[in-house]
Amino acid sequence: MIKVVSYNMHKGIGLDRRRDPRRILDVLCEIDGDVIALQEADLRYGTKAAVIPHRLLEDHSPWRAVQLHDRASMGWHGNALLTRKGSEVLDSAALHIPALEPRGAIRVDVSIDATPIRVFGMHLDLSGLWRRRQARAILTHADDCAPPMPTVMMGDLNEWTPNGGCLHDFRREFAIAPTGPSFHARRAIGRLDRIMTRGFRVRDCGVHNSALARKASDHLPIWALIEPL
């Protein structure tokens, strides 16, 4: 079994308007995932440094961030992927996707307990037209990747419609886990955050709705327990 998690951490700013990276890390420790996709994991301006300091992640967590480009950043356009320190990263890539505003996606191939899996993390556009373009670009990249692996795609899709928009594109190839509404953290009604799988069976899934998670960000984390088919 592999536990995957997606979390829009809102640059570490909670509903109390305080930026608290340690609180984000505490929420992640509550969930205890094997692979974690983070959105809004970097500061937006300046050096776009990681919100969770690398030293804090290294010394006080079981995960490491997969480095893609700049060492100051945790990922690419605010997207980051964390893997357990005992896992082996086989390959990684930053995806340049069509975008109206600064957006991106990332891919990591990782071996967990000798099981290779492919994981995509993403944060899609606010515009429905651009979301569909981005979804098609990500799906094309996934189809072009070799060798084939069981694949997970997860992140903040910014899609409010339950079956249309970019979900229509993803659903052609991926099963969408019924995790539940995750936005807004104060009173979750929107299923903006999604976990989608190909080559996996979803054994369980849900929204992590702890007292700490309801304060740490404007999104609640989602998770799924999966196993390869």
Side-chain angles (χ1 to χ4, degrees):
M1 292 286 187
I2 299 168
K3 193 172 193 180
V4 295
V5 177
S6 181
Y7 191 18
N8 184 329
M9 53 181 278
H10 195 47
K11 302 179 183 67
I13 300 174
L15 299 192
D16 56 3
R17 301 185 181 180
R18 292 192 302 113
R19 191 189 307 277
D20 189 343
R22 183 57 189 260
R23 181 167 55 186
I24 295 293
L25 201 55
D26 288 342
V27 171
L28 296 178
C29 287
E30 288 181 344
I31 311 170
D32 196 29
D34 297 302
V35 182
I36 300 168
L38 297 175
Q39 302 88 49
E40 299 192 22
D42 296 331
L43 299 177
R44 185 170 185 178
Y45 300 108
T47 61
K48 299 184 179 180
V51 171
I52 303 175
H54 291 284
R55 178 60 64 182
L56 180 64
L57 191 67
E58 182 178 332
D59 292 346
H60 299 282
S61 89
W63 307 288
R64 58 179 174 171
V66 178
Q67 288 300 314
L68 295 164
H69 288 289
D70 185 359
R71 174 65 185 170
S73 168
M74 187 176 276
W76 170 249
H77 282 305
N79 292 284
L81 279 166
L82 309 183
T83 62
R84 286 199 184 274
K85 290 171 182 173
S87 61
E88 178 187 3
V89 174
L90 307 173
D91 193 20
S92 63
L95 278 63
H96 296 266
I97 59 177
L100 183 62
E101 51 188 332
R103 297 289 181 181
I106 55 179
R107 171 184 59 83
V108 172
D109 298 347
V110 57
S111 178
I112 300 175
D113 295 331
T115 300
I117 71 170
R118 180 164 289 138
V119 182
F120 287 79
M122 65 191 76
H123 189 183
L124 301 189
D125 210 286
L126 295 175
S127 161
L129 175 63
W130 286 94
R131 282 197 300 274
R132 297 203 68 176
R133 291 175 179 173
Q134 291 164 352
R136 288 192 287 267
I138 293 167
L139 288 166
T140 297
H141 180 91
D143 289 339
D144 290 343
C145 285
M149 294 181 190
T151 300
V152 180
M153 292 188 175
M154 51 186 174
D156 180 356
L157 305 191
N158 269 317
E159 184 63 69
W160 285 89
T161 59
N163 297 303
C166 67
L167 289 176
H168 176 75
D169 301 301
F170 284 119
R171 201 183 298 274
R172 292 175 182 171
E173 300 183 34
F174 285 77
I176 301 176
T179 50
S182 56
F183 182 84
H184 187 278
R186 185 176 288 112
R187 183 173 177 269
I189 58 172
R191 297 173 183 251
L192 304 188
D193 305 284
R194 298 284 185 164
I195 295 174
M196 305 170 287
T197 64
R198 181 171 65 187
F200 284 103
R201 178 181 295 107
V202 176
R203 287 298 191 184
D204 197 7
C205 63
V207 177
H208 185 72
N209 191 11
S210 71
L212 189 60
R214 289 193 297 272
K215 291 182 180 179
S217 170
D218 60 347
H219 286 245
L220 296 170
I222 59 172
W223 58 272
L225 195 61
I226 61 178
E227 63 178 356
L229 295 174

